[in-house]
């Protein structure tokens, strides 16, 4: 039996996407995340989707760290008004997620609460994982897909923003059924020098990577999803703002040696995804800037953060 | 990297106090439990105490399974009205618990929620653990201390039940500062044939053990704590009912070969606890009865269960 006191330095610091605990030769990788009705569940989301999302939130962090999750436990808080059919829906959502990502539900617990809340605690095993702190000057900055669909979907669901039927389906779908690409995350594991998931928003993720790695990040292309520009224009939003500040995105934001990008992009395509180069890592510690021609515009650290 | 699909049978079933996942030669032991303000936090409990309790709830399960917990993560739901001083109190409570039980806090997450909720996900490593299903006819049934203080404390806090100052301090203290004896749990690990924690109440724990082990349990002594009888009488409660049906007790209920009891009791005393024999295991599958002389009174499966 391992004693915590005997392992003072081997633990990962609080603040990465996951916690890493040495266990013999291997590492136990842990993530816990709580979905709460008022902030994480739009009223159009079913209980089945909410349960699935609570698992997706953890899977996204494992994907970003290149670690295969093995199993998970849930703690569910239910209000008194919940119907039995909704509890059945929750089970179905957990089953959906288990099947989608090859996970095993190993335990659960139910409490009475003011609103629906689902805590997912996920565990996996790995020999290593990608940290947030490995970015080096000269690396490219890349993301595993275009941004903007979930924030657009939230605008459609919550404020009735207008959209074409096709865009609406894609944007709303990305909110109700977030689907981190775990296969892609595992395939890219050995390419990243630093990585993290983007659930707090792209700008915030870039700032976190830049601080953790003590480097600067210079973006020259905002990865705006197809149709996001038109949607933003039609509703009087800024597409860049939607992409940079929006949250609920379950993509990976990371850095890698420039020479590895082409090969990584091929791997991404072979795993049902894509890899978009959006900028590069510089020496200028701690800053995130947007290069337009010869001017540099600072990008604020203002992604989606609860309780701010 | 281990795949969940490759390990179909090695996982412990959902339903024990903890989940157990094979990891190479050893086992990863996991527990997650959510503390929710409305059901788990009496209004007299401070945020510091609530945070400490959320960890104690998990420690209690590890103690009952004879496994040393190594580290934990918390997900905290906070209402908008929470003050900064209360957030600091939460941190202090987590520190209290970490120190008390030699644990490491390896990660955390904060969400906005309708009420305070704290999910603790705890991990430990072990070669084995005590299941709920090992009780055999002839075994003695034992508990690691007298019952009744937490339910009495709740009656004092929530319905103004009267009590002597001394009893009040002990009973209320057991509610606000639950302190599972982890050292005792680890020391007794090799003695139990079956064990579980008693947080859902003594009667409920006995029923669960009897079902899991497919045996009967015959109680001949209800382990009523010192002063609980007088307290119950003065307030018009039944002490037996308080002890059998009350919850929030963080003691261990278990069974062991009769010949091992004396030695186990010695070990318990050497570890700051005690071991009380309260009955024996019989062949009569699934029933829990109270023997008074020659009559057997069935004990209902009616401990403290949320949402019943």
């Amino acid at each position: 039996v391992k004693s915590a006191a005997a392992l003072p330095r081997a633990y990962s610091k609080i603040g990465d996407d996951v916690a890493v605990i040495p266990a013999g030769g291997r590492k136990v990788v842990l993530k816990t995340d709580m979905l709460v009705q008022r902030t994480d569940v739009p009223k159009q989301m079913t209980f089945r989707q909410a349960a699935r999302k609570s698992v997706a939130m953890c899977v996204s962090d494992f994907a970003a760290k290149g670690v295969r999750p093995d199993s998970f436990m849930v703690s569910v808080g239910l209000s008194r008004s919940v119907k039995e059919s909704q509890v059945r829906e929750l089970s179905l959502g957990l089953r959906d997620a288990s099947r989608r990502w090859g996970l095993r539900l190993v335990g659960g617990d139910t409490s009475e609460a003011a609103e629906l809340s689902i805590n997912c605690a996920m565990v996996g095993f790995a020999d290593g994982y990608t940290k947030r702190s490995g970015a080096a000057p000269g690396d490219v900055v890349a993301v595993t897909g275009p941004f903007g669909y979930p924030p657009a979907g939230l605008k459609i669901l919550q404020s009735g923003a207008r959209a074409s039927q096709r865009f609406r389906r894609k944007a709303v779908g990305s909110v109700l059924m977030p689907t981190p690409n775990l296969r892609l995350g595992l395939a890219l594991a050995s390419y990243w020098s630093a990585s993290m998931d983007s659930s707090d928003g792209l700008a915030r993720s870039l700032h976190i990577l830049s601080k953790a790695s003590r480097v600067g990040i210079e973006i020259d292309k905002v990865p705006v999803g197809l149709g996001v520009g038109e949607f933003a224009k039609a509703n009087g939003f800024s597409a860049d703002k939607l992409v940079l500040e929006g949250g609920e995105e379950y993509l990976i934001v990371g850095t890698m040696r420039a020479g590895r990008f082409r090969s990584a992009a091929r791997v991404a395509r072979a795993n049902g995804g894509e890899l978009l180069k959006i900028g590069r890592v510089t020496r200028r510690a701690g800053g995130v800037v947007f290069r337009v021609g010869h001017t540099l515009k600072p990008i604020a650290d203002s992604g989606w953060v609860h309780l701010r």
Side-chain angles (χ1 to χ4, degrees), chain A:
Chain A
V1 173
K2 246 173 229 308
S3 139
L7 298 160
R9 260 186 283 264
Y11 288 78
S12 74
K13 288 213 187 67
I14 289 185
D16 208 317
D17 301 64
V18 294
V20 180
I21 301 166
R26 313 198 72 202
K27 291 177 176 68
V28 175
V29 179
L30 272 182
K31 171 71 191 181
T32 172
D33 210 336
M34 196 194 289
L35 169 138
V36 179
Q37 188 152 19
R38 64 179 48 204
T39 47
D40 301 314
V41 184
K43 64 180 193 298
Q44 296 90 342
M45 185 181 273
T46 65
F47 270 49
R48 181 168 183 168
Q49 290 167 334
R52 183 184 174 287
K53 179 181 174 181
S54 74
V55 182
M57 285 159 63
C58 281
V59 168
S60 177
D61 289 300
F62 275 81
K65 302 282 106 178
V67 175
R68 186 187 295 281
D70 180 279
S71 22
F72 69 104
M73 304 181 86
V74 289
S75 308
V76 181
L78 293 172
S79 75
R80 266 181 195 278
S81 66
V82 157
K83 296 176 208 120
E84 212 177 299
S85 63
Q86 289 175 308
V87 176
R88 268 199 306 276
E89 271 192 69
L90 281 180
S91 304
L92 288 175
L94 296 177
R95 201 192 58 182
D96 292 344
S98 304
R99 289 185 179 171
R100 184 80 178 78
W101 292 293
L103 305 168
R104 190 166 283 261
L105 176 61
V106 291
D109 177 59
T110 308
S111 304
E112 190 188 318
E115 65 192 323
L116 176 66
S117 55
I118 309 176
N119 189 87
C120 174
M122 193 167 280
V123 63
F125 305 98
D127 298 316
Y129 71 103
T130 319
K131 298 202 176 69
R132 293 176 171 178
S133 55
D139 285 0
V140 302
V141 178
V143 294
T144 58
F147 280 66
Y149 299 111
L154 279 172
K155 297 267 189 203
I156 294 170
L157 291 173
Q158 295 179 335
S159 8
R162 282 160 308 138
S164 70
Q165 207 182 357
R166 194 172 161 189
F167 182 79
R168 184 191 163 84
R169 197 178 308 123
K170 183 161 175 68
V172 167
S174 74
V175 172
L176 301 181
M177 298 280 277
T179 304
N181 188 336
L182 176 60
R183 188 157 63 100
L184 175 58
L186 298 176
L188 287 181
S190 63
Y191 287 93
W192 302 117
S193 52
S195 64
M196 65 178 293
D197 106 317
S198 61
S199 54
D200 287 337
L202 180 55
R204 184 128 181 72
S205 303
L206 292 171
H207 272 277
I208 290 171
L209 286 176
S210 107
K211 284 202 188 80
S213 297
R214 299 170 188 225
V215 293
I217 286 180
E218 192 179 298
I219 298 307
D220 51 29
K221 188 176 184 311
V222 177
V224 180
L226 198 70
V228 173
E230 293 83 328
F231 167 80
K233 203 167 182 183
N235 290 280
F237 308 133
S238 147
D240 282 1
K241 215 170 139 72
L242 214 57
V243 163
L244 287 167
E245 299 185 2
E248 302 278 316
E249 307 263 12
Y250 294 96
L251 298 167
I252 309 174
V253 185
T255 60
M256 61 179 67
R257 307 296 168 245
R260 306 211 66 195
F261 180 78
R262 274 169 73 109
S263 156
R266 230 174 3 245
V267 165
R269 282 190 299 274
N271 284 281
E274 55 186 317
L275 196 65
L276 308 172
K277 198 188 296 185
I278 63 168
R280 62 191 190 87
V281 178
T282 67
R283 292 195 185 283
R284 228 180 69 116
V288 179
V289 295
F290 184 34
R291 172 180 290 277
V292 190
H294 287 289
T295 43
L296 298 175
K297 287 165 56 181
I299 297 177
D301 172 6
S302 57
W304 173 281
V305 181
H306 292 312
L307 285 176
R308 269 161 48 107

